[in-house]
Amino acid sequence: MNQLSMEHGNDPIVLQMNGVSKIIKGTSIVDKLSFDIRKGEIVGLLGPNGAGKTTTIRMMTGLIRMSEGDVIVQGRSIRNDFQAAIANIGAIIENPEFYPYMTGLDNLLQYQRMSEGLDQARIDEVVSLVGLQEAMNKKVKAYSLGMRQRLGIAQALLHRPKLLILDEPTNGLDPAGIREMRDYMRTIAEVEGISILISSHMLAEIEQICHRAVVIQNGKLVTVTKLGVEADVMEEVTLTIRVNHPEKANAILKAMPAVTIFNIDIDRNELTLSLKDDKVPDLVTELAAGGVGIYRITENKQSLEEDFLKWTGGNRIA
C-alpha cells in the first residue's frame, strides 16, 4: 500500500522512525515503530490512552533513550549523532514555558543568546509567521493561551528546524484560537517548507489540517492513512447523487463499466453508487450529455473518528 501523499510523495524524507522500540522491565511501551515524514508535510500522531505517543515523541527528541532502532533526522542519527540530528528539530512538548515578567521579545532574545547564528531579522521573520507583531512588547503574563502557544512556536522555529513537533498544540484553546493555530501551522508548512508532527486527541482538527495520520496502539503501528485532499484519485469512492430524472440517470450509469449502483430512491430523486475517484468527471459528463440535471453530489465517507474507532477497536483517544 502506498502510504505517501500525492503532494509530498516525491519530496525529501525529513524524519525516519526505523524499528524504534522502548522496553521497560520487559514490557514494550513502543514496539518496532516505523514511519516517515517528508518535507512540508503535516502528520498527525494518533492513538488511544497508553498507545505510546508521548514515549515516541520523547525518543524522537532524545529526552529518553531508545531500546532498539533509530530515529533519523535529515540523514543524522538521534542515537549516534545527537547534536547534528536534534539541530533539525523544534519542539513544544506539553506547554511552552516563558519568563512571565518579561516581554515576548525579551523571551525570544533570551533564547537567541543561547543559540548561534540567530539575528534580529530571524526573530522578525518568525514573529511575523505566527502573527505576534503587535504583542512583542507586552509582558508574557498578559498573553492569552493562544498567544503563548504561538510564541512557543516562534521560539521553536528560530533556529530554522526542518521538523516541528507539537504535543497538543490546540489544547485549551477556544474555537477561534483553534482555527487561528490551524492557519499558522499551514503557513509554517507551506511558506517555510517545515514538516510538522502533531500529537493530538482532537480528531476533527487532525482531519482538517494533516496530510496523513499515523495511528498507533499498544506501541505498534496500526495504520498510516491519507487525509482530506491527499486522498488517492485511484481510490474507490461512494457517492449519493440527486438528479431530476433518476430512472434516466440509472440507465445511463448502468452502461458505464466503472460504476456500481447500490440503490435508487425514486421518491428522493437520488442514486447511491461507487466508482474510482478519477472517474467522477466522466460520470458528470455522461449524465449531462444524456440530459440529466445534477443537483447535488455527496461523498459517503466515514469520518476520521469513525475510522479511528474501527482501527483501534473502540479504544478512547487521549
Side-chain angles (χ1 to χ4, degrees):
M1 179 178 68
N2 177 20
Q3 294 178 340
L4 302 179
S5 71
M6 293 184 295
E7 182 180 346
H8 299 281
N10 296 320
D11 288 336
I13 292 175
V14 172
L15 175 132
Q16 290 174 287
M17 295 284 288
N18 292 338
V20 174
S21 298
K22 181 63 179 178
I23 302 168
I24 300 176
K25 296 181 179 179
T27 301
S28 293
I29 309 301
V30 174
D31 189 1
K32 296 179 174 59
L33 187 59
S34 297
F35 63 88
D36 61 48
I37 301 175
R38 291 180 175 260
K39 181 180 179 181
E41 188 179 26
I42 305 176
V43 174
L45 180 62
L46 306 178
N49 270 330
K53 300 188 303 297
T54 300
T55 301
T56 297
I57 287 175
R58 290 181 179 277
M59 287 190 290
M60 281 181 182
T61 53
L63 293 175
I64 59 174
R65 286 184 172 273
M66 293 164 261
S67 302
E68 298 173 351
D70 202 356
V71 178
I72 308 298
V73 188
Q74 287 289 101
R76 301 300 186 105
S77 163
I78 285 286
R79 183 187 284 277
N80 301 318
D81 195 3
F82 178 74
Q83 292 298 332
I86 202 66
N88 292 293
I89 294 179
I92 302 177
I93 299 174
E94 297 178 353
N95 297 313
E97 296 293 338
F98 301 103
Y99 298 106
Y101 55 87
M102 291 169 58
T103 66
L105 178 59
D106 285 339
N107 271 277
L108 293 183
L109 289 172
Q110 189 72 7
Y111 184 81
Q112 179 195 36
R113 294 184 191 105
M114 297 185 289
S115 308
E116 293 182 4
L118 298 182
D119 56 17
Q120 184 61 44
R122 180 56 181 170
I123 292 178
D124 294 341
E125 200 172 19
V126 295
V127 167
S128 175
L129 200 63
V130 299
L132 280 178
Q133 301 96 313
E134 305 301 318
M136 278 295 94
N137 293 318
K138 294 180 182 177
K139 291 184 177 179
V140 169
K141 64 182 179 182
Y143 278 23
S144 66
L145 180 58
M147 290 166 69
R148 286 172 183 254
Q149 289 283 62
R150 284 152 54 195
L151 185 63
I153 290 174
Q155 179 175 291
L157 292 175
L158 268 179
H159 66 289
R160 296 183 175 85
K162 302 299 182 184
L163 173 67
L164 180 63
I165 299 175
L166 303 175
D167 186 15
E168 302 287 358
T170 58
N171 200 21
L173 298 182
D174 60 20
I178 290 171
R179 182 172 182 174
E180 194 175 63
M181 186 63 64
R182 186 196 311 149
D183 291 341
Y184 287 125
M185 284 189 281
R186 285 193 183 121
T187 300
I188 290 163
E190 292 169 8
V191 174
E192 294 258 310
I194 292 173
S195 308
I196 304 176
L197 178 70
I198 303 171
S199 173
S200 177
H201 69 282
M202 298 184 72
L203 292 172
E205 282 305 306
I206 290 292
E207 193 165 21
Q208 287 193 62
I209 193 172
C210 292
H211 300 104
R212 290 188 297 153
V214 174
V215 182
I216 62 175
Q217 185 175 26
N218 299 324
K220 296 182 179 180
L221 181 68
V222 174
T223 189
V224 179
T225 185
K226 297 168 188 171
L227 299 175
V229 295
E230 299 298 315
D232 196 327
V233 293
M234 296 306 292
E235 284 183 352
E236 193 86 10
V237 294
T238 301
L239 306 175
T240 296
I241 60 172
R242 180 172 291 181
V243 295
N244 57 353
H245 297 299
E247 297 97 333
K248 187 187 289 189
N250 187 42
I252 293 169
L253 295 176
K254 276 185 174 178
M256 294 182 66
V259 177
T260 301
I261 299 172
F262 297 126
N263 184 55
I264 176 170
D265 187 332
I266 300 297
D267 294 334
R268 295 177 58 86
N269 288 348
E270 289 181 348
L271 296 92
T272 302
L273 51 93
S274 71
L275 75 169
K276 292 285 181 62
D277 199 28
D278 65 343
K279 298 298 181 184
V280 174
D282 295 341
L283 175 146
V284 174
T285 300
E286 290 294 323
L287 290 177
V292 175
I294 303 170
Y295 296 125
R296 186 176 301 122
I297 299 178
T298 305
E299 183 178 2
N300 303 336
K301 185 179 181 181
Q302 289 196 124
S303 68
L304 180 59
E305 181 178 13
E306 291 168 321
D307 283 336
F308 178 85
L309 294 173
K310 176 183 68 179
W311 294 324
T312 60
N315 283 347
R316 289 176 60 244
I317 194 165

